[in-house]
Amino acid sequence: MAGSVTRLRWASGIMVALGAGHLALIGTLAWTDFAGWVDRGVWAAVPLLDETRNGLAFWAGPGSFGVPLMLLGCLTWHLAGRGTPPPAWLGWAVAAWCAVGGLLLVPSPFVAGVVAGALIVAAARDVTPQPGPPRA
């Protein structure tokens, strides 16, 4: 059990670091675009089909997968503390998503996401299922 908790803590740290790093980088690179949203009024500052730098800043920043990846990392950390790993399919999904991203965007830190996914899969396989009430 201790090994799976350590694996999950590492996986969660990697996911939080990837999400936070992504948001910090885009925040630095697109700071003027974000400031423009405040100047224009935040409501509808980015049209849905905006293909300009303004739209790119949104989809690379707050509209990206950075925030959900950080939330997934925090959830994984929380579950590790309870001794309950996320299901293995989630690890496979994170690993596959990051592998495709890493193949499309070279060089990139997507490889670290593959490691995080593999750690989740390994931790999920370490834990023996506890008997519980039958599912309906």
Side-chain angles (χ1 to χ4, degrees), residues 70-136:
M70 288 178 12
L71 292 172
L72 182 59
C74 291
L75 176 63
T76 303
W77 185 277
H78 174 76
L79 291 174
R82 295 176 147 233
T84 306
W89 62 262
L90 183 67
W92 284 113
V94 168
W97 170 62
C98 289
V100 169
L103 289 172
L104 295 173
L105 181 66
V106 175
S108 73
F110 269 110
V111 175
V114 174
V115 172
L119 289 170
I120 291 172
V121 170
R125 292 182 180 211
D126 280 350
V127 176
T128 56
Q130 300 298 321
R135 293 185 180 183

Side-chain angles (χ1 to χ4, degrees), residues 12-106:
S12 66
I14 290 169
M15 289 186 287
V16 169
L18 284 174
H22 176 78
L23 292 175
L25 180 64
I26 196 64
T28 302
L29 296 176
W31 182 252
T32 56
D33 297 304
F34 297 154
W37 299 347
V38 175
D39 289 344
R40 291 188 300 273
V42 178
W43 181 257
V46 182
L48 180 61
L49 299 176
D50 189 355
E51 295 181 12
T52 65
R53 180 179 161 99
N54 187 43
L56 178 64
F58 172 77
W59 290 113
S64 74
F65 204 72
V67 173
L69 188 61
M70 288 178 12
L71 292 172
L72 182 59
C74 291
L75 176 63
T76 303
W77 185 277
H78 174 76
L79 291 174
R82 295 176 147 233
T84 306
W89 62 262
L90 183 67
W92 284 113
V94 168
W97 170 62
C98 289
V100 169
L103 289 172
L104 295 173
L105 181 66
V106 175

